[in-house]
Amino acid sequence: MPGGGVAVTASGMEGGKKSSIVGILMASFAAFGTFSSSPFLDVQSPNDVPFSGGILFGYDTGVISGIKEMNFWLKTFGYESPAGSGTYTISTANESLIVSILSLGTFFGALFAAPMADTLGRRMGIVAANLVFCAGVAMQTAATAVPLFVAGRVFAGLGVGMVSCLVPMYQAEASPKWIRGAVVSCYQWAITIGLLLAACVNQGTKDRNDYGSYRIPIAIQFAWAGILSAGMLYLPESPRYLVKRHRDADAARALGRLMSVPPDHQDVQMELEDVKANLRMEEEVGQSSYVDCFKMGPNKILFRTLTGIFLQAWQQLTGINFIFYYGTTFFKNSGISNPFLITIATNVVNVCMTIPAFWAVDHVGRRRLLLIGAAGMLVCEYLVAIIGVTISVSNQAGQKVLVAFVCIYIAFFASTWGPIAWVVTSEIYPLAIRAKAMSMSTASNWLWNFGIGYATPYIVNPEYGNLGPKVFFVWGSTCVGCLVFTYFCIPETKGLSLEQIDILYQNTTPVKSVAYRDQLIAHNVHAADEDAIARVTTEVRMAEKGEKGEAHNEEKV
């Protein structure tokens, strides 16, 4: 390659030695919404790094947890209770509405993301989503009454919903397969950083006795939207989107730019042939409508669509957003003297424990990590529930143990289900329906987010369900469902190109996916090579039959 740089292709093919430094740079810059010209890449042209809108997503999710406990915000949007006491509160109905309405907006925003991604493109769709988000932030910043604040939350939700679908889609389509899991995991890491930043800003403004107490944390979100939009104007369009639009020359240029090689380089042309071969096969089977997302056939489209929808639902049902939406209130009710500081501590754990996932997702694997995470979370949540119901709020030692197990639970989530749910849903769909299927899986995440956010005050507040820590018995039980779902429905896809994942789904099941994936990698099978696909499939099935035959003979003996 000219200049002697290292070329790492989007399919994992290499023009030279694969550099771990490049992968680390890609993953790091992805988290912060920036881009890089790196001396480790082709020296003649910058290598553009896919990046994340996760900080925007995480900050907006986290800021409301602290704002709704600020005295001045309660005085502005709530009422004095009891009268003459100088203490202000907000009704459970308004609390549920304000917290959860964002998620209702994100549900529709995620669905709107599909037509935006297929018409404006992945890149400009993200820019458009930021404009909608900024309109919502402006409304919330200006609000002094509940109606306008709620309207702002709806518009901000529409923007966040679109971004939460479009950014992982763009990352998955533009990343090399050997580091794709880490790059998309950075989306979740950026979410955790956003949550932490929100907790820190809330801590800094909570004691102000003026409108700045809540307007400053809300208005800061303009910065995240601006950084994300400016960065997207620099980056190339997704080459797979361009192939889908039959703009092959533009796709070659975009892919060449991502690989730091000329558009006519053999690696670029081989990658494009794989993408086009897969797209031709998909177009022969059907078009790319929402109906096609639910068709049964050799591609297992229905199974893949439902897998993504249910995976995102199970992620929410782990109970993680109970901590980040209502954590401040929960710790306050549990007798913690400074719940704002504990909220910061839980966010620090969330940020730090997402980092191991960057390495683990592409080495340990998606499937195994999801199984480990579900098992770890269910143990911690049952322990939190048991401790919570057996100690009093005045038992400081017991409360510290409760906080410790909450932090361990967050650590399991942050290193497994947090990032990997986004990784899996960004890579399991074929190109023809990827935007629509991803929009539905993301909408599922937000629908459950809305339901949990709206129902939780009624479940845990003293005047209603008054479950308190007992709610963790519910979350622990749902993690049992996460474990069972992963075993039967999530295949191992680490190290495979998006086109190889299509091959895997067509020829094996999630339970047997590890052996088939190993053969795809060992034989370097490409979508355009039908003979190689048939040969690998035959070898794997013969090996499976051989193992069954040996087991049967042993039983006879």
Side-chain angles (χ1 to χ4, degrees), residues 98-139:
I98 288 169
V99 172
S100 63
I101 199 68
L102 176 99
S103 300
L104 189 62
T106 53
F107 170 77
F108 290 105
L111 293 178
F112 292 156
M116 288 182 68
D118 285 337
T119 53
L120 297 178
R122 284 47 164 160
R123 177 170 160 267
M124 294 310 297
I126 293 172
V127 175
N130 276 286
L131 296 176
V132 177
F133 175 76
C134 285
V137 172
M139 291 181 195

Side-chain angles (χ1 to χ4, degrees), residues 403-443:
V403 171
F405 275 110
V406 168
C407 289
I408 296 170
Y409 151 66
I410 292 171
F412 272 110
F413 176 87
S415 56
T416 58
W417 276 80
I420 294 170
W422 295 104
V423 173
V424 172
T425 55
S426 72
E427 64 187 14
I428 63 173
Y429 303 119
L431 178 59
I433 62 157
R434 184 170 295 134
K436 293 179 176 62
M438 271 199 73
S439 75
M440 287 189 287
S441 69
T442 307

